[in-house]
Amino acid sequence: MGTLFLYIVVVLLVLLYKTPLLSSSPTSLSLPSVLKPGSSLSVENKDDFLISPNGLFTAGFYSVGENAYCFSVWFTKPLADQSHTIVWMANRDAPVNGKRSKLSLLKTGNLVLRDAAQPLPIWTTNIIDSKEPAQLFINDTGNLYLQNNETQVIWQSFGSPTDTLLPLQKFTKDTSLVSSRSLTNHSSGFYKLYFDNDNVIRLVYNGPSVAGIYWPDPKITAWASGRSTWASRRTATLDLSGHFVSSDSLFFNTSDSENQSVRRLTVDVDGNFRAYSLDETRGIWKVTWQAISDTCRVHGICGENSTCSISPNHGRKCSCIPNHTMINQTDWSYGCKPEFNTTLCGNGEDDFLHFPHYDFYGYEARFVPNVTLDECKRVCLGICNCKGFHFNYETEGYFSCYAKFKLINGFRTMSSNGSMYLKVPKSILLLSNNSEKIVHEDRLICSEKLPTVRIDRAYIKNPKNESVKSLMIFTYVFGALETICIIYFFYRTRNPSKTRQGYVQAATGFQRFSYAELKKTTKNFSKEIGRGGGGIVYKGEFSNNRVAAVKLLKEFGNKQGETELLAEISTLGRLNHMNLIDIWGYCAERKHKLLVYEYMENGSLAQNLHSSKLDWGKRFDITVGTAKGLAYLHEECLEWVLHCDVKPHNILLDSNWNPKVADFGLSKLLDRDGTRNSEFTRARGTRGYMAPEWLFVNHPITSKVDVYSYGVVVLEMITGRSPTGDQCAKSKGRLDSWVKEKMIAAGGTKDWIEEVVDVTVDGKYDTSKMEILIKVALQCSAEDKDARPTMSQVVDMLLHVEN
Ligand SMILES: *[C@@H]1O[C@H](CO)[C@@H](O)[C@H](O)[C@H]1NC(C)=O
Ligand SMILES: *[C@@H]1O[C@H](CO)[C@@H](O)[C@H](O)[C@H]1NC(C)=O
Ligand SMILES: *[C@@H]1O[C@H](CO)[C@@H](O)[C@H](O)[C@H]1NC(C)=O
Ligand SMILES: *[C@@H]1O[C@H](CO)[C@@H](O)[C@H](O)[C@H]1NC(C)=O
Ligand SMILES: *[C@@H]1O[C@H](CO)[C@@H](O)[C@H](O)[C@H]1NC(C)=O
Ligand SMILES: *[C@@H]1O[C@H](CO)[C@@H](O)[C@H](O)[C@H]1NC(C)=O
Ligand SMILES: *[C@@H]1O[C@H](CO)[C@@H](O)[C@H](O)[C@H]1NC(C)=O
Ligand SMILES: *[C@@H]1O[C@H](CO)[C@@H](O)[C@H](O)[C@H]1NC(C)=O
Ligand SMILES: *[C@@H]1O[C@H](CO)[C@@H](O)[C@H](O)[C@H]1NC(C)=O
Ligand SMILES: *[C@@H]1O[C@H](CO)[C@@H](O)[C@H](O)[C@H]1NC(C)=O
Ligand SMILES: *[C@@H]1O[C@H](CO)[C@@H](O)[C@H](O)[C@H]1NC(C)=O
Ligand SMILES: *[C@@H]1O[C@H](CO)[C@@H](O)[C@H](O)[C@H]1NC(C)=O
């Protein structure tokens, strides 16, 4: 019995060795890039793909949800998060069943996509005149095309793009790009890029009820935006080196132009039109150009009665106007409805709520130039359906009044002096005196789970006859044996750590380095560049001239293995912010645990605190940047990450003196409500920067510990005094107490500012700006954690000072 089994195994192995599955390496995959007339691609067969000769693009059935497939073209190589980037779809609005759906190339040259349950084709190329057969090809540029035997292209996917334009693909009067509905729903969304009937490329929001052009800026003429309406044709293309040329004089170069890169231009779900380049080493797309920088100018993001503002940590944010609530808790496009039910036509019963720095686009009931505020109020009160007005400062002593009958496309703008005045019943105004503070901030409910499409289409089962069935059973059994053998074969021939390495890298997006490699790049750990909480950091130089910071973790030591290290750093893979340090990879070999970060030319803030290179302008930028980085860490929709050791040593500076927060993420993750803090068995942090609540066992640890440390760091940057130094001895060792004492001693004058500010720092500063900065820092380092602002509030306060 045993010998028989061994014999079978040997025979199978010999057979297997000859099968292409094992003998071909992934680089030499010879998958077809041509579909012959009369043949078809089936949704069920996982090998039914066409791959472009260079391997960059794949065409086939792409799963867009549970049992839902679209025939698509995508970039073959997955990104670091294992997702694929789709560049074209045949049937984006009508996904087909996951069983017995087929794309067939008919003998007449027509390409037809059929769903088994539907009598009519879901999609077809509709080539009527061609009676000749044609072949379906996929090009190196990502073009899927039908070519007859006279080498004429009779149909091409480049002629009917979905939301993406590839390099060399012509954008013409007959094509348009339409965004996807959402990140998970690929069907047609509301944003469209097209050539308008005056020959200008525009972006339009084409929503369910209203539509509006938002790019180029509709408030000025096309000519003023640098576009030409007098073109002899309507075409635009992006070339391989990142130059975009359009017939309406829209020319731009991507930020990495001249370099060869995998590129795409996409109308994104947020309504912006962006150019991307693939960062192949990290497996992510980088934005290299975008049409709109103030993304709140895109129409239709926040529905009626809500406003859009840019949140530094999370991009755009919608908020209801005061005394209104979200209509649909999961979708801002529904807008907000009033909480009150008095009608706004109340014969002197209405008043106005001042809403500074906000504007709503369009929908004017009346425009009155050169008026006073009182006159404008009377104008709006006189119009029954006036919902409010925008009172705009035009020039010295000259204001215009825009009375609006619909409050839509609201946005916050710091660049104009205009204000919105909202009409509300008097009763509400009496209740809420402090009107400027009551912007209602409903948040979207964060959801990690991606929705899936379920198509419940019945399909007719063809009863298979018995011989087919038994054949299939045989195939399954054989397949199972084959699988076992392949696994056996792999274990025998491959280095097990290598396969694991590939798997791990795919799962986390981090590169795994060997200890020997890192030892070499750091020249045997010779160039120490810093010491952090977790270990010592060394400078490393890779052979391709990339410079990295390599951190030797001491804490991890022997106790924990690779899995624990990966679990700890896996959150970092999802963090991506310009004020957070980038992590490239790691090493975990026996007792050696290392992390590889991007290298920061200017070292840490601690090293530069007393440097003459850091003038007040740079110091201010560092406080804002650091706050943004921390605010992003604390952001609600991410997993909540506390830093727990904010100090000048952990704030690094790149060649442009932009700050990047480092050393985060190795602290444990907390539950959002901060109740599960039993993980913190001992206080973390550094003396002088540690929040008081660390010292009390029963005090919950929340994001406010980082706010405290941040406050201390800012005070240190301003005063040049160390929070652990002797200078503060008289003030019970606390920097904030010292500053407060000076403030009180000055007795209402501003003299204290000069006293606390470091005189050795170069450059002038604006006293009022400095005063606000110090006050924010003092608020942050308040003893009572509830008195401290959140990190995003800090960013907001500091950005207000900037403007
Ligand atoms: C195929 O790609 C080449 C460039 O790689 C291009 O010149 C050619 O026009 C493409 N063919 C079609 C039919 O798109
Ligand atoms: C083109 O197709 C026709 C018939 O379909 C065939 O007779 C002819 O030989 C083909 N030409 C070439 C160049 O293959
Ligand atoms: C783009 O780069 C080309 C040269 O590579 C230059 O001639 C052109 O002026 C640039 N266009 C813009 C808009 O900067
Ligand atoms: C272009 O590529 C070179 C070499 O890879 C690189 O040094 C340079 O920074 C790149 N330029 C841009 C603008 O990305
Ligand atoms: C209006 O909003 C304020 C602040 O949000 C609230 O205090 C007040 O009760 C609201 N008024 C009504 C009538 O809902
Ligand atoms: C809210 O919006 C979602 C998504 O658009 C939709 O599925 C849901 O039915 C809506 N809920 C209500 C109460 O309208
Ligand atoms: C917006 O608010 C106004 C009153 O402020 C109300 O009349 C209108 O119906 C609201 N819009 C929506 C979509 O609820
Ligand atoms: C608003 O309507 C609700 C019921 O629809 C009612 O109970 C409430 O008293 C009304 N409020 C006002 C201020 O009229
Ligand atoms: C605005 O109106 C005032 C008086 O109402 C007038 O003196 C002034 O000239 C006007 N300004 C302009 C620019 O028309
Ligand atoms: C805002 O108003 C002030 C005077 O009130 C003026 O000096 C300043 O230029 C205005 N700013 C803008 C952007 O209009
Ligand atoms: C609202 O505040 C102002 C001062 O900001 C005060 O004069 C007024 O009496 C207050 N009104 C109410 C109803 O509290
Ligand atoms: C995707 O969006 C379309 C509308 O454009 C809708 O009909 C469809 O149900 C959506 N699918 C999911 C899964 O939400």
Side-chain angles (χ1 to χ4, degrees):
M1 192 65 201
T3 38
L4 180 65
F5 181 72
L6 201 68
Y7 175 76
I8 292 175
V9 167
V10 167
V11 167
L12 279 176
L13 275 179
V14 169
L15 273 175
L16 278 172
Y17 197 69
K18 300 218 160 196
T19 59
L21 192 70
L22 276 181
S23 54
S24 69
S25 71
T27 47
S28 66
L29 280 177
S30 53
L31 281 154
S33 57
V34 189
L35 188 67
K36 302 272 184 222
S39 50
S40 58
L41 299 174
S42 152
V43 69
E44 279 160 285
N45 191 345
K46 295 287 165 273
D47 296 328
D48 271 2
F49 295 122
L50 297 183
I51 295 199
S52 64
N54 61 1
L56 192 57
F57 297 97
T58 301
F61 283 95
Y62 190 89
S63 164
V64 294
E66 210 176 304
N67 192 35
Y69 289 80
C70 289
F71 191 80
S72 317
V73 174
W74 63 86
F75 284 101
T76 310
K77 205 175 156 199
L79 298 179
D81 63 0
Q82 295 307 294
S83 66
H84 285 278
T85 311
I86 294 168
V87 298
W88 181 78
M89 272 188 177
N91 55 323
R92 68 191 303 196
D93 292 317
V96 294
N97 218 305
K99 286 218 177 86
R100 299 181 55 222
S101 297
K102 257 186 198 172
L103 179 87
S104 312
L105 181 53
L106 305 184
K107 292 255 166 59
T108 57
N110 245 343
L111 198 56
V112 176
L113 177 61
R114 281 183 189 279
D115 186 313
Q118 308 283 86
L120 291 174
I122 295 292
W123 175 86
T124 157
T125 49
N126 267 333
I127 298 159
I128 302 150
D129 347 335
S130 167
K131 289 182 186 60
E132 289 174 61
Q135 291 185 322
L136 182 69
F137 295 89
I138 182 159
N139 204 328
D140 279 352
T141 54
N143 194 6
L144 188 73
Y145 59 96
L146 282 172
Q147 197 174 50
N148 63 18
N149 74 354
E150 279 132 39
T151 68
Q152 276 177 319
V153 174
I154 54 175
W155 172 88
Q156 55 179 337
S157 66
F158 269 19
S160 58
T162 48
D163 63 351
T164 296
L165 198 72
L166 290 169
L168 305 182
Q169 180 174 4
K170 260 212 179 82
F171 189 67
T172 68
K173 67 180 175 59
D174 300 320
T175 55
S176 62
L177 301 183
V178 176
S179 67
S180 288
R181 189 64 188 263
S182 71
L183 286 173
T184 50
N185 187 341
H186 295 280
S187 60
S188 306
F190 299 133
Y191 299 104
K192 181 164 130 180
L193 181 87
Y194 68 113
F195 269 109
D196 209 344
N197 51 17
D198 62 354
N199 309 316
V200 170
I201 290 192
R202 291 208 159 88
L203 279 168
V204 65
Y205 166 70
N206 190 1
S209 50
V210 293
I213 287 166
Y214 56 92
W215 182 77
D217 188 350
K219 284 187 173 174
I220 55 178
T221 62
W223 192 254
S225 331
R227 307 294 191 85
S228 157
T229 51
W230 312 119
S232 53
R233 65 212 150 83
R234 284 179 271 172
T235 56
T237 40
L238 176 75
D239 72 9
L240 291 167
S241 340
H243 308 289
F244 184 87
V245 176
S246 162
S247 54
D248 70 348
S249 305
L250 168 67
F251 303 117
F252 66 79
N253 291 340
T254 60
S255 62
D256 64 344
S257 64
E258 310 309 332
N259 280 4
Q260 289 300 317
S261 208
V262 175
R263 301 171 189 283
R264 66 185 167 99
L265 281 166
T266 302
V267 176
D268 285 320
V269 291
D270 66 354
N272 211 340
F273 178 47
R274 295 191 180 87
Y276 290 91
S277 294
L278 185 65
D279 182 336
E280 305 207 22
T281 48
R282 294 175 56 207
I284 53 168
W285 288 102
K286 285 182 312 185
V287 177
T288 52
W289 177 83
Q290 61 182 4
I292 294 161
S293 53
D294 181 354
T295 52
C296 274
R297 299 303 176 94
V298 174
H299 287 182
I301 310 151
C302 306
E304 199 177 343
N305 298 330
S306 69
T307 59
C308 172
S309 60
I310 305 287
S311 143
N313 42 22
H314 198 243
R316 291 191 298 206
K317 185 175 80 181
C318 297
S319 316
C320 287
I321 60 175
N323 290 96
H324 288 67
T325 48
M326 261 179 106
I327 291 173
N328 184 330
Q329 290 294 316
T330 59
D331 191 345
W332 271 107
S333 65
Y334 287 79
C336 305
K337 59 176 192 288
E339 282 169 345
F340 46 86
N341 44 10
T342 33
T343 50
L344 287 176
C345 206
N347 319 318
E349 293 300 308
D350 300 332
D351 210 333
F352 294 93
L353 208 56
H354 185 202
F355 211 33
H357 295 297
Y358 278 87
D359 193 0
F360 288 80
Y361 180 77
Y363 298 93
E364 274 103 39
R366 241 179 108 191
F367 165 69
V368 191
N370 196 9
V371 285
T372 64
L373 183 58
D374 282 336
E375 280 165 348
C376 192
K377 282 184 178 174
R378 271 198 295 279
V379 167
C380 187
L381 287 175
I383 304 169
C384 195
N385 66 356
C386 174
K387 301 285 194 304
F389 61 88
H390 187 238
F391 191 61
N392 197 39
Y393 171 94
E394 310 279 359
T395 57
E396 195 64 50
Y398 185 103
F399 291 87
S400 318
C401 176
Y402 300 83
K404 315 232 171 216
F405 61 89
K406 200 173 173 125
L407 300 178
I408 200 160
N409 299 324
F411 58 94
R412 180 167 161 191
T413 162
M414 299 310 284
S415 61
S416 91
N417 277 345
S419 282
M420 208 48 216
Y421 286 81
L422 306 175
K423 199 196 226 178
V424 287
K426 261 200 179 121
S427 53
I428 283 173
L429 217 57
L430 292 177
L431 281 171
S432 50
N433 200 2
N434 199 358
S435 62
E436 292 184 16
K437 283 200 178 152
I438 54 165
V439 183
H440 206 106
E441 292 210 349
D442 280 319
R443 289 285 187 113
L444 272 184
I445 299 154
C446 309
S447 159
E448 291 275 303
K449 262 174 71 187
L450 305 177
T452 51
V453 194
R454 164 143 217 132
I455 298 193
D456 283 323
R457 274 193 198 138
Y459 58 92
I460 313 109
K461 259 189 202 149
N462 242 350
K464 293 194 180 77
N465 64 35
E466 287 303 306
S467 70
V468 170
K469 242 184 200 166
S470 55
L471 190 71
M472 277 177 65
I473 289 171
F474 175 76
T475 320
Y476 285 145
V477 171
F478 187 78
L481 269 175
E482 200 171 37
T483 316
I484 292 166
C485 292
I486 290 171
I487 292 167
Y488 173 79
F489 197 81
F490 262 68
Y491 268 90
R492 283 298 299 270
T493 53
R494 290 233 178 164
N495 176 348
S497 79
K498 272 250 170 89
T499 47
R500 195 174 144 70
Q501 167 180 344
Y503 164 73
V504 161
Q505 185 184 341
T508 61
F510 293 122
Q511 193 172 347
R512 188 186 198 270
F513 295 94
S514 73
Y515 183 68
E517 191 179 359
L518 293 182
K519 196 168 170 180
K520 200 175 128 214
T521 58
T522 57
K523 304 212 172 65
N524 200 10
F525 302 104
S526 55
K527 281 190 211 159
E528 180 178 329
I529 52 174
R531 264 163 203 266
I536 304 169
V537 187
Y538 301 92
K539 183 174 178 178
E541 279 170 66
F542 288 93
S543 50
N544 57 2
N545 291 331
R546 284 223 301 184
V547 186
V550 179
K551 182 172 194 174
L552 196 59
L553 297 174
K554 56 169 192 271
E555 295 247 321
F556 267 83
N558 296 319
K559 300 191 296 276
Q560 284 152 309
E562 179 169 356
T563 328
E564 286 82 2
L565 178 68
L566 274 175
E568 292 274 296
I569 65 171
S570 65
T571 338
L572 310 186
R574 274 182 286 138
L575 301 178
N576 186 359
H577 189 276
M578 60 178 281
N579 294 115
L580 297 180
I581 196 101
D582 244 1
I583 191 164
W584 289 344
Y586 69 98
C587 161
E589 274 177 29
R590 291 184 307 279
K591 67 185 202 314
H592 307 297
K593 305 288 182 312
L594 300 100
L595 291 179
V596 181
Y597 297 97
E598 65 179 316
Y599 177 73
M600 302 289 278
E601 282 83 351
N602 280 317
S604 73
L605 176 62
Q607 289 160 344
N608 287 287
L609 262 180
H610 303 289
S611 150
S612 58
K613 285 187 201 133
L614 274 195
D615 58 24
W616 285 115
K618 291 201 187 92
R619 277 173 200 245
F620 192 77
D621 291 343
I622 290 171
T623 60
V624 178
T626 308
K628 284 182 185 172
L630 289 173
Y632 181 83
L633 278 186
H634 296 170
E635 176 59 38
E636 284 174 47
C637 281
L638 295 165
E639 269 176 277
W640 202 35
V641 182
L642 298 192
H643 189 295
C644 297
D645 196 11
V646 177
K647 57 180 176 178
H649 311 77
N650 288 336
I651 296 165
L652 305 183
L653 303 168
D654 73 6
S655 52
N656 296 320
W657 302 95
N658 292 318
K660 296 202 182 203
V661 178
D663 236 12
F664 52 86
L666 286 179
S667 45
K668 291 271 190 238
L669 302 173
L670 282 183
D671 272 352
R672 230 171 253 200
D673 52 6
T675 47
R676 187 176 60 95
N677 51 37
S678 53
E679 305 270 8
F680 291 92
T681 47
R682 69 191 163 83
R684 282 155 186 261
T686 307
R687 195 169 71 89
Y689 302 95
M690 267 163 70
E693 59 262 33
W694 281 116
L695 305 176
F696 303 101
V697 185
N698 292 326
H699 283 221
I701 298 303
T702 64
S703 60
K704 295 294 178 69
V705 299
D706 288 346
V707 179
Y708 180 91
S709 312
Y710 172 81
V712 177
V713 171
V714 174
L715 289 177
E716 184 174 2
M717 281 172 73
I718 293 168
T719 61
R721 287 160 190 263
S722 158
T724 52
D726 300 332
Q727 305 99 315
C728 312
K730 268 192 273 165
S731 317
K732 285 176 269 152
R734 285 184 49 176
L735 197 50
D736 59 320
S737 316
W738 178 78
V739 174
K740 269 187 216 145
E741 275 167 24
K742 294 274 176 201
M743 194 162 101
I744 293 161
T749 66
K750 307 242 159 154
D751 298 344
W752 63 276
I753 297 178
E754 247 175 78
E755 278 187 57
V756 300
V757 165
D758 189 352
V759 287
T760 63
V761 177
D762 287 341
K764 284 220 178 70
Y765 58 86
D766 177 349
T767 314
S768 57
K769 202 164 146 178
M770 183 64 85
E771 184 180 357
I772 295 171
L773 184 58
I774 299 177
K775 286 192 170 157
V776 169
L778 287 177
Q779 224 181 319
C780 289
S781 52
E783 185 100 33
D784 172 13
K785 74 174 168 55
D786 297 323
R788 297 176 209 148
T790 65
M791 249 11 260
S792 11
Q793 283 167 338
V794 170
V795 176
D796 257 358
M797 289 190 273
L798 296 181
L799 288 181
H800 268 81
V801 184
E802 265 189 340
N803 284 292

